[in-house]
Amino acid sequence: MIHSRNRRLRVNESIRSLVRENVLTTDDFVMPIFVMEGENMQEPIPSMPGIFRRSIDLTVKECKELFSLGVKAVNLYMKVSENLKDNTGKEAWNKNGLMQNTIKAIKDAVPGMVVMPDVALDPYSIYGHDGIIENGKILNDATNEALAKMSVSHAEAGADLVAPSDMMDGRVQVIREALEQSGFTDVGIVSYAAKYASSFYGPFRSALDSAPKENVEIPKDKKTYQMDFHNSREALNEVFKDIDEGADIIMIKPGLPYLDIVSKVREAIDLPIAVYNVSGEYAMVKAAVQNGWLDNDKTIIENLTCFKRAGADMIFTYFAKEAAMILNK
């Protein structure tokens, strides 16, 4: 005779919901947003169906809709004009730059929205790299100083947190000290502590034209600063260093292929963990849905729930708006 039957707790949805270990809500989501110059402008991103580059006015409109759906945080990326790019990234800390004006506009229109601007030089670089280049190498410390200027300018514009995604060594400490010295003690840092050199970033780079440029004098990829995807112990080393340097939230990127890293980090730290459900992961699901191979709504919710099950506290995802609509049903 069988005394223990696990199926007793799966008999119906009411029982299943009582014993459910993880529940996905709109509070879990951060929506990445692409911003472009212009007015009343919206351009679709072909490799990311349903995702657009928008001018500031339409970005504000989108943020209002997101907030009404329960999505209370956005992560900002800029499509920078070619004439503003160079090897210093100086446009990144222009007080009247596209990023700074976008932050101000969102905070003015939706004060409760948590605004997390991306901190990296690749959208501003003529080379498409996250750092300043000299003699064919990405300079670590000079890049950190640029990232600190960028972060302070974001804080001055009204950012709630800054999100350095560059993977330079020691940049969290440099940014934290710059924010403190500038009086922004309440501005937090979402550190991309374990960001891997991944092939899943392709659609994102096409959205911002931020892929490394083909040039014999510079690295053709980002493997000298982003992590080797073969490694897992190294991730903990990166995480612990960023915590010591003053990170408030730890990011792991990409998401689905790195759930083991999310779980490993969750067991090791008490700080909030963010995971980035990146553009390639989004594109794969949308391609399968368009071909009729997957159910859109069910796949999205299952997809996002796995991040919480692995231990993430928040999910940066292009599905945020759509997922909120599904959950609100």
Side-chain angles (χ1 to χ4, degrees), residues 31-35 51-54 59 62-63 66 73-78 102 106 113 208 276 318:
M31 180 71 181
I33 289 182
F34 300 119
V35 185
I51 303 299
F52 301 87
R53 288 182 289 263
R54 297 182 177 91
T59 297
E62 180 72 2
C63 287
L66 286 166
V74 291
N75 177 219
L76 303 180
Y77 298 89
M78 302 296 112
T102 301
I106 294 173
M113 181 67 83
L208 292 183
Y276 206 127
Y318 302 97

Side-chain angles (χ1 to χ4, degrees), residues 154-283:
H154 293 174
E156 290 172 342
D160 300 282
L161 303 103
V162 293
S165 62
D166 56 286
M167 287 297 287
M168 297 296 122
D169 292 332
R171 90 278 203 214
V172 173
Q173 180 172 329
V174 175
I175 291 171
R176 183 72 268 161
E177 290 175 352
L179 290 171
E180 296 291 315
Q181 290 168 6
S182 300
F184 296 109
T185 57
D186 291 334
V187 174
I189 298 176
V190 182
S191 171
Y192 287 60
K195 180 179 180 180
Y196 286 82
S198 171
S199 58
F200 286 87
Y201 302 146
F204 173 93
R205 289 175 180 169
S206 66
L208 292 183
D209 187 27
S210 61
K213 301 297 186 289
E214 289 294 329
N215 186 311
V216 294
E217 298 178 357
I218 64 171
K220 293 181 174 59
D221 54 44
K222 302 188 178 186
K223 294 180 179 179
T224 64
Y225 46 100
Q226 294 179 355
M227 284 182 57
D228 184 342
F229 65 80
H230 299 85
N231 298 348
S232 64
R233 294 192 302 272
E234 183 186 8
L236 290 176
N237 182 23
E238 293 278 3
V239 166
F240 291 144
K241 284 182 178 177
D242 284 6
I243 292 173
D244 288 342
E245 291 175 17
D248 299 285
I249 298 170
I250 293 298
M251 171 72 83
I252 296 161
K253 182 180 182 181
L256 287 176
Y258 297 86
L259 292 178
D260 60 319
I261 306 302
V262 179
S263 181
K264 187 186 290 285
V265 172
R266 176 74 291 158
E267 292 175 359
I269 71 170
D270 294 323
L271 256 62
I273 294 175
V275 64
Y276 206 127
N277 180 211
V278 301
S279 60
E281 299 167 44
Y282 176 90

Side-chain angles (χ1 to χ4, degrees), residues 2-70:
I2 301 176
H3 292 283
S4 178
R5 294 181 184 270
N6 292 340
R7 289 181 58 188
R8 293 177 189 137
L9 301 182
R10 303 173 192 154
V11 169
N12 57 50
E13 175 58 22
S14 295
I15 291 176
R16 291 192 296 271
S17 65
L18 280 173
V19 298
R20 189 160 289 151
E21 297 174 27
N22 296 283
V23 178
L24 193 69
T25 77
T26 57
D27 291 335
D28 298 317
F29 303 146
V30 179
M31 180 71 181
I33 289 182
F34 300 119
V35 185
M36 60 184 288
E37 295 282 2
E39 187 174 348
N40 196 32
M41 297 281 290
Q42 177 171 287
E43 295 178 351
I45 299 170
S47 57
M48 302 175 69
I51 303 299
F52 301 87
R53 288 182 289 263
R54 297 182 177 91
S55 52
I56 293 179
D57 54 329
L58 296 187
T59 297
V60 169
K61 181 179 178 182
E62 180 72 2
C63 287
K64 289 179 178 179
E65 186 172 355
L66 286 166
F67 201 78
S68 72
L69 290 168

Side-chain angles (χ1 to χ4, degrees), residues 108-123:
D108 285 345
V110 195
M113 181 67 83
V114 177
V115 177
M116 308 179 190
D118 179 64
V119 176
L121 296 186
D122 50 335

